[in-house]
């Protein structure tokens, strides 16, 4: 009997240690680099992460990032359940905002950097992001009582990715590209700009011994021009030809097909979504779509690009309109796999379609990642 009891205790201890290990593995710790580690290696359009008493996700297809956190309060120490409920909800909001800021740091900006990289080189970016987080309104709140008597406030906050363009990410990415990654030194904001002064062009000086100007010809004088000119000779009279049946009018050319958007099919290339992806021509590296093409106002309203898990879902996206141009990407390169290369013929087709539809600057682009 004693041996069976010891075996039962040992089995219970092993199960308890296994549960603690699984709980510890489920927590998302913040390493010294300041990044939140996402579990798993696969990249989906919805990247999820979780920790103890909180969980969050980045939905690239719908374009938002959200976090759900729990705050607790003891009614016995704050003067009742009503006060404990208010304090628990307030604590849940603070924790949710803090988790949102941690998740924003790992968002990929372009094919080689993330927001954490820009925050290290732009000190003012952290303050701007905190200001944007104030606009992240809670979309769900509830309070309930646990079995031990404590009040729990569960809060879910959501921030749309297009709101991140309000902090000037486009300008900071363009400036950081002038320097190689890891050795970037930003220009100080108080540095005085360079002013270019142009001197007025001096008039040419004519020497006194210069040759005089030639006299006009007799036929170019005013008197010669005022003299009456002889009447032109009448054209010879030609006999009229018999009337013939006019040829039929030429057919009007069929107008070319007008495309309303662009769909980049990057399925199977292990590509990753980012805020500022780029599309280039394979071989030459000529940029077809990216930071230098988009309109900042359009990006602030709808975001730079949209993402879809399939080609059918991309066609139904209202961003690209009723008649989008579909192009298959050859490869996805860069550190973040957010630089898409297309063939030479497809690149020319994109430029010709954009010359008539003007959809690239309006951010009417959807990328398929599955």
């Amino acid at each position: 009997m004693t041996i069976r009891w010891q075996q039962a205790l040992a089995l219970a201890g092993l199960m308890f240690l296994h549960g603690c290990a699984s709980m510890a593995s489920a927590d998302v710790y913040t390493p010294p680099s300041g990044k939140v580690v996402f579990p798993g290696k696969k990249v989906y359009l919805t990247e999820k992460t979780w920790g103890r008493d909180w969980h969050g996700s980045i939905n690239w297809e719908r374009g938002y990032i959200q976090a759900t956190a729990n705050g607790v309060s003891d009614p016995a120490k704050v003067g009742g359940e009503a006060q404990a409920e208010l304090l628990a909800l307030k604590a849940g909001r603070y924790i949710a905002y803090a988790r949102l800021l941690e998740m924003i740091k790992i968002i990929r900006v372009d094919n080689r950097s993330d927001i954490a990289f820009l925050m290290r080189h732009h000190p003012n970016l952290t303050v701007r992001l905190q200001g944007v987080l104030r606009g992240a309104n809670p979309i769900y709140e509830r309070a309930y009582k646990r079995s031990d008597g404590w009040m729990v406030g569960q809060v879910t906050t959501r921030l749309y990715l297009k709101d991140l363009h309000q902090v000037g990410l486009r300008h900071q990415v363009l400036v950081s590209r002038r320097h190689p990654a890891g050795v970037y030194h930003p220009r100080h904001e108080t540095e005085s700009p360079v002013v270019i002064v142009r001197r007025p062009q001096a008039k040419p000086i004519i020497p006194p011994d210069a040759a005089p100007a030639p006299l006009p010809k007799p036929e170019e004088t005013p008197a010669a021009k005022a003299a009456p000119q002889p009447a032109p000779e009448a054209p010879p009279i030609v006999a009229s030809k018999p009337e013939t049946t006019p040829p039929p009018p030429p057919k009007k050319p069929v107008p070319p097909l007008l495309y309303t958007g662009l769909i980049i099919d990057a399925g199977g290339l292990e590509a990753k979504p980012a805020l500022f992806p780029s599309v280039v021509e394979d071989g030459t590296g000529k940029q077809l779509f990216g930071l230098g093409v988009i309109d900042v106002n359009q990006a602030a309203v709808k975001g730079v690009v949209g993402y879809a898990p399939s080609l059918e879902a991309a066609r139904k996206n209202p961003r690209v309109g009723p008649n989008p141009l579909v192009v298959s990407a050859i490869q996805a390169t860069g550190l973040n796999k957010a630089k898409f290369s297309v063939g030479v013929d497809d690149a020319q087709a994109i430029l010709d379609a954009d010359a008539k539809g003007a959809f690239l600057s309006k951010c009417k682009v959807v990328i398929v990642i599955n």
Side-chain angles (χ1 to χ4, degrees), residues 269-303:
L269 299 180
E270 298 183 357
K272 299 178 183 180
L275 292 179
F276 296 99
S278 59
V279 181
V280 299
E281 183 180 357
D282 188 31
T284 62
K286 179 181 179 181
Q287 187 181 34
L288 307 175
F289 177 78
L291 288 173
V293 180
I294 62 174
D295 185 2
V296 182
N297 298 326
Q298 294 289 337
V301 173
K302 64 178 69 172

Side-chain angles (χ1 to χ4, degrees), residues 30 44 67 95 125 129 131 145 167 184 194 255 279 298 332 339:
T30 304
Y44 301 96
I95 298 174
L125 183 58
L129 288 175
K145 189 175 182 179
V167 300
Y184 168 60
V194 179
V279 181
Q298 294 289 337
K339 185 178 182 180

Side-chain angles (χ1 to χ4, degrees), residues 67 78 87 89 133 220 227 234 269 333 365:
V78 297
L87 293 178
L89 290 174
L133 282 177
E220 296 179 358
L269 299 180
T333 59
V365 180

Side-chain angles (χ1 to χ4, degrees), residues 26 28 64 81 93 106 135 167 307:
V28 179
Y64 65 81
E81 294 183 358
R93 295 190 196 101
I106 61 171
V167 300
Y307 292 96

Side-chain angles (χ1 to χ4, degrees), residues 64-69 92-93 95-97 100 136-141 155-159:
Y64 65 81
I65 173 176
Q66 73 177 23
T68 301
R93 295 190 196 101
I95 298 174
Y97 288 142
L100 274 181
N137 298 324
I139 62 173
Y140 177 77
E141 291 184 354
V155 180
T156 301
T157 57
R158 177 177 296 181
L159 177 68

Side-chain angles (χ1 to χ4, degrees), residues 231-237:
E233 298 180 358
I237 299 175

Side-chain angles (χ1 to χ4, degrees), residues 74-92:
D74 188 4
K77 296 182 180 179
V78 297
E81 294 183 358
Q83 186 69 16
E85 179 180 345
L86 295 176
L87 293 178
L89 290 174
K90 187 175 182 179

